[in-house]
Amino acid sequence: MALTKSLHSFHIPVMGLAYTIDSPIRVAQYGISSVVSIIDDELIEKMNSFYSKKFNVPYQEITKKVQDYRAERITSYLNLTDTIVKEKFVNFKTELSESKAALEHFITTLPNTSDFKDGLSNLLQEGVAFKDKARSYLETHLKVGTIDVNIMTKVDKDNFIKGEQLPTQFNDAHASLRGFANSNLSSSVVLSAGMNPRLYSYFESFKDFFPDVNGHLKKKIILKVSDYRSAIIQGKFLAKKGLWVSEYRIESGLNCGGHAFATEGFLLGPILEEFKTKKIELIQDTHAVYVKGLNQKEIDAPEQPLELKITVQGGVGTAEEHHFLLENYQVDSVGWGTPFLLVPEATSVDQETRDLLRSAKEKDLYLSGISPLGVPFNTIKGTTNEFHKQKRIANNKAGSSCPKKFLALNKAFGPEGVCTASKKYQDVKLQELEAKKADVSPAIYENAKAKITEKACLCVGLANASYLENDINIKGQEQGVVICPGPNMAYFDKEVSLSQMMQHINGNASVLSNVGRPNMFMKELKMYVDYLKTDIDTISEDLTAKQIKKWTAFKSNLFDGIAYYEDLFVSVLSSKYTTIQNELQFYKNELTHISIPQLETV
């Protein structure tokens, strides 16, 4: 099936809980697709109230007294967002058809290779017929950006009332999915953080994920993946249930914002190469399984495979890199996340945090262990959340009050779960560590203690920016703001308009600082080499043969990735050939000198 052509060659991925919570309301009328996190129903309810008042739409509060309040809050906000976006889209088309100046400005933000851009440029030559011809052309060709949503599959906490566990459909991620499925949207749910078979099975409950009589999907599935193997396993798992994956969204394992799901040393370039060479095989194999899955449900299966897109995100920062990803790997879109944190028209960030981001240097951005999920988390030094967390640690009051409990997934203390960032959890773990202090080395003790107390309350910290930006009251323990940019933030040092960022992406302007910025592939390689070093240096448990095997494979895969890039950059990016080859040799030497510990023989 021929792919539907998007207006833009980029999209805005989900960022945190709050940073893209209202991005569709801000940018969808320009044809830009973006992704809303639907984890935090409390934030969503507050934003529902805020935007209902702003756009004079009747608002009915959904309280926790409602049995299915979480799903209903999400449905209500998504429907409101859809209503606002449609209204803004109509108004934007009217503006473009009535003002040549507005049309000229919009044209400057479009890709240079766009047929649509050429069509709009031709309209400018029209005289008295301009208005009617522009209106007709825009109605036919201008498409609104999609209002996509994100669910982290692992954030699927069981819920209880008075100690009694509720049915699975009231789990957090299940309720989020139901909220999206019951909405009016015709868009996609982006599933991230790996496979959740129970959640994936729940998709079968909603008809919008199955094709209609014309083979059309009202709601689609996007899988965020870090390698081809993961894609084909998850894709076939869903296909057996009659569920089609419409897009595989490949993300750099480490060179991204937020949670960094490191691969086993597999680098982005070789991963993209595998998807490019095996895309047809992926489509055909999955389609065969999909047809069987639909037949078992007695649903008419399309003869030809449905549309399947391959997109990529993580660390891209120049028009040259953007174009290279589109052309060399034949991807359908490129995600730009971190740079948009400095675009007030596109993302929800409080001013103090934007200022922190704007002034960030390479040394300020780091891969942390602050996430209660136990997954490396890209963040920045100097956040207000870090200030409040360290203040509690200094006062021997480590840990959060844990008001939202979305990440209360650790079952160490019982079936209801506890968050590893909570005071309840950290008090117990610090006591246990203190009891065995005499039996471990000082280095292991300090590493273990730091790993306990560094966990941050992401549920509150990742939501506070929207409250602060919109002057919404914040209750409870002071947590400040957690912000999760990728390392790319170091090279963007000023707030810019949406049109300036779009022109930057398309190569018609530059918003980069003068700081020397490494190629995105080289930056990721550096992060992986550093990751391996740190993982070896900070081990806080007894060494095992399994761990040694993991490190050995990781190192070997990095060598393979370097060899791939040595060949790749012979023929592309010739202007940077010498610099990149020197960097590859440097990291090869670095990798060679990383010593993997061995078990001591007795």
Side-chain angles (χ1 to χ4, degrees):
M1 180 176 286
L3 293 179
T4 54
K5 190 71 175 176
S6 298
L7 176 59
H8 301 285
S9 58
F10 75 92
H11 59 270
I12 301 177
V14 68
M15 287 185 277
L17 298 177
Y19 304 114
T20 55
I21 190 70
D22 58 355
S23 289
I25 293 174
R26 299 172 185 239
V27 304
Q29 69 267 30
Y30 308 120
I32 302 170
S33 295
S34 57
V35 186
V36 176
S37 170
I38 53 172
I39 292 175
D40 189 343
D41 63 282
E42 289 187 23
L43 170 63
I44 283 170
E45 182 65 16
K46 291 285 179 63
M47 298 307 288
N48 199 0
S49 172
F50 175 81
Y51 275 107
S52 293
K53 293 172 184 173
K54 184 171 182 176
F55 286 91
N56 198 26
V57 176
Y59 166 70
Q60 179 64 52
E61 182 184 6
I62 300 171
T63 71
K64 291 187 176 182
K65 294 180 181 179
V66 176
Q67 183 184 21
D68 199 20
Y69 71 88
R70 181 172 167 78
E72 289 191 22
R73 285 174 167 179
I74 292 165
T75 301
S76 180
Y77 178 62
L78 294 178
N79 286 346
L80 173 69
T81 301
D82 186 47
T83 298
I84 294 171
V85 164
K86 286 176 178 174
E87 180 182 337
K88 293 184 77 172
F89 185 53
V90 169
N91 293 339
F92 182 58
K93 287 187 290 185
T94 300
E95 180 188 8
L96 293 180
S97 65
E98 294 182 350
S99 168
K100 285 190 176 181
L103 186 60
E104 284 178 328
H105 179 71
F106 182 54
I107 288 171
T108 65
T109 69
L110 298 174
N112 297 324
T113 56
S114 167
D115 293 336
F116 176 65
K117 182 174 184 174
D118 292 339
L120 291 180
S121 298
N122 292 334
L123 288 174
L124 293 173
Q125 312 307 316
E126 298 289 342
V128 292
F130 167 74
K131 187 173 180 179
D132 289 338
K133 288 194 174 183
R135 184 186 299 114
S136 175
Y137 187 81
L138 290 166
E139 282 297 327
T140 304
H141 295 91
L142 183 58
K143 307 298 181 186
V144 70
T146 57
I147 306 167
D148 296 325
V149 304
N150 176 255
I151 297 175
M152 284 192 72
T153 58
K154 296 288 192 292
V155 184
D156 197 24
K157 173 177 57 69
D158 300 322
N159 286 308
F160 294 74
I161 292 182
K162 295 180 180 178
E164 184 174 339
Q165 185 170 339
L166 296 174
T168 303
Q169 63 262 33
F170 291 99
N171 285 14
D172 285 351
H174 282 67
S176 294
L177 176 60
R178 184 165 59 256
F180 170 66
N182 291 336
S183 74
N184 299 330
L185 295 179
S186 179
S187 60
S188 302
V189 55
V190 182
L191 299 172
S192 59
M195 189 158 71
N196 179 340
R198 191 166 58 174
L199 178 66
Y200 284 13
S201 297
Y202 191 47
F203 274 82
E204 297 176 84
S205 304
F206 307 104
K207 65 180 179 62
D208 281 0
F209 292 103
F210 295 101
D212 61 17
V213 292
N214 298 314
H216 173 73
L217 298 172
K218 182 176 181 181
K219 290 185 170 68
K220 298 178 181 180
I221 298 171
I222 296 174
L223 287 185
K224 188 189 290 187
V225 296
S226 56
D227 58 52
Y228 181 83
R229 181 175 175 273
S230 173
I232 198 158
I233 289 172
Q234 293 186 70
K236 285 186 176 180
F237 182 91
L238 287 162
K240 287 178 182 178
K241 302 175 182 299
L243 298 163
W244 182 255
V245 176
S246 297
E247 177 183 331
Y248 291 97
R249 187 161 287 188
I250 306 158
E251 184 171 66
S252 167
L254 293 180
N255 193 16
C256 59
H259 286 97
F261 293 88
T263 66
E264 296 173 3
F266 297 113
L267 299 172
L268 186 60
I271 291 168
L272 288 170
E273 190 71 41
E274 186 172 15
F275 271 93
K276 182 175 77 171
T277 57
K278 294 182 178 178
K279 181 177 179 179
I280 294 175
E281 177 185 333
L282 173 64
I283 292 172
Q284 292 176 341
D285 288 356
T286 309
H287 176 68
V289 177
Y290 181 60
V291 169
K292 291 180 182 178
L294 288 175
N295 288 340
Q296 288 177 354
K297 287 182 163 55
E298 299 183 347
I299 298 174
D300 290 338
E303 290 185 13
Q304 298 299 319
L306 297 181
E307 177 181 84
L308 188 148
K309 294 182 177 181
I310 304 294
T311 64
V312 61
Q313 59 199 41
V316 62
T318 67
E320 183 182 29
E321 290 174 350
H322 180 84
H323 183 75
F324 177 71
L325 292 169
L326 292 171
E327 294 299 316
N328 190 69
Y329 296 111
Q330 297 164 23
V331 297
D332 299 288
S333 180
V334 178
W336 284 66
T338 291
F340 273 100
L341 291 172
L342 290 179
V343 183
E345 292 169 76
T347 53
S348 181
V349 184
D350 63 287
Q351 191 57 52
E352 183 178 356
T353 303
R354 275 202 217 274
D355 290 341
L356 179 69
L357 295 172
R358 184 174 47 77
S359 60
K361 303 295 186 285
E362 285 184 343
K363 62 181 176 59
D364 301 313
L365 298 147
Y366 69 107
L367 197 60
S368 75
I370 68 173
S371 172
L373 290 179
V375 178
F377 189 80
N378 272 309
T379 189
I380 183 174
K381 295 176 183 176
T383 63
T384 49
N385 177 271
E386 186 67 18
F387 170 80
H388 293 298
K389 184 181 72 173
Q390 290 300 330
K391 187 176 179 181
R392 288 194 296 272
I393 292 171
N395 292 330
N396 293 319
K397 294 180 180 179
S400 163
S401 60
C402 197
K404 296 186 179 181
K405 296 181 168 54
F406 296 131
L407 299 181
L409 303 172
N410 187 292
K411 300 296 180 73
F413 305 153
E416 292 195 29
V418 63
C419 178
T420 58
S422 69
K423 188 175 189 305
K424 177 181 178 181
Y425 178 87
Q426 292 189 13
D427 280 350
V428 173
K429 290 301 174 182
L430 288 170
Q431 288 173 9
E432 291 177 355
L433 178 63
E434 199 65 27
K436 61 179 183 180
K437 183 176 182 180
D439 301 325
V440 298
S441 71
I444 288 181
Y445 172 81
E446 291 299 331
N447 283 341
K449 184 176 180 180
K451 285 186 177 181
I452 294 170
T453 59
E454 71 178 336
K455 304 303 178 191
C457 180
L458 299 189
C459 299
V460 175
L462 287 174
N464 278 346
S466 279
Y467 294 147
L468 292 168
E469 185 195 33
N470 298 306
D471 293 322
I472 299 172
N473 186 41
I474 300 174
K475 298 179 180 178
Q477 185 184 50
E478 201 164 15
Q479 293 285 355
V481 172
V482 175
I483 188 79
C484 49
N488 215 11
M489 192 79 258
Y491 316 111
F492 295 84
D493 63 358
K494 53 184 174 289
E495 289 186 18
V496 297
S497 68
L498 179 61
S499 64
Q500 285 175 307
M501 183 57 73
M502 293 167 75
Q503 290 176 54
H504 173 81
I505 292 170
N506 293 321
N508 297 324
S510 177
V511 301
L512 280 172
S513 70
N514 293 322
V515 177
R517 179 185 175 278
N519 172 271
M520 60 178 289
F521 293 122
M522 296 303 99
K523 182 67 175 182
E524 186 198 49
L525 172 57
K526 178 186 186 303
M527 293 187 74
Y528 267 97
V529 172
D530 290 345
Y531 179 88
L532 179 59
K533 288 180 187 174
T534 302
D535 204 37
I536 293 171
D537 291 343
T538 61
I539 186 168
S540 59
E541 299 171 349
D542 292 335
L543 189 64
T544 64
K546 182 179 179 181
Q547 183 63 67
I548 293 171
K549 183 179 179 181
K550 177 184 173 184
W551 283 331
T552 303
F554 195 102
K555 185 174 178 178
S556 175
N557 291 332
L558 286 181
F559 275 124
D560 289 344
I562 290 171
Y564 167 83
Y565 286 137
E566 285 176 329
D567 291 339
L568 175 71
F569 290 116
V570 166
S571 55
V572 299
L573 295 179
S574 56
S575 63
K576 298 180 181 178
Y577 172 77
T578 302
T579 300
I580 288 176
Q581 291 294 345
N582 287 340
E583 288 177 319
L584 288 170
Q585 186 59 51
F586 174 80
Y587 292 121
K588 186 189 290 187
N589 293 338
E590 287 269 295
L591 199 55
T592 300
H593 288 96
I594 294 178
S595 177
I596 296 175
Q598 299 298 316
L599 289 172
E600 294 182 8
T601 55
V602 179

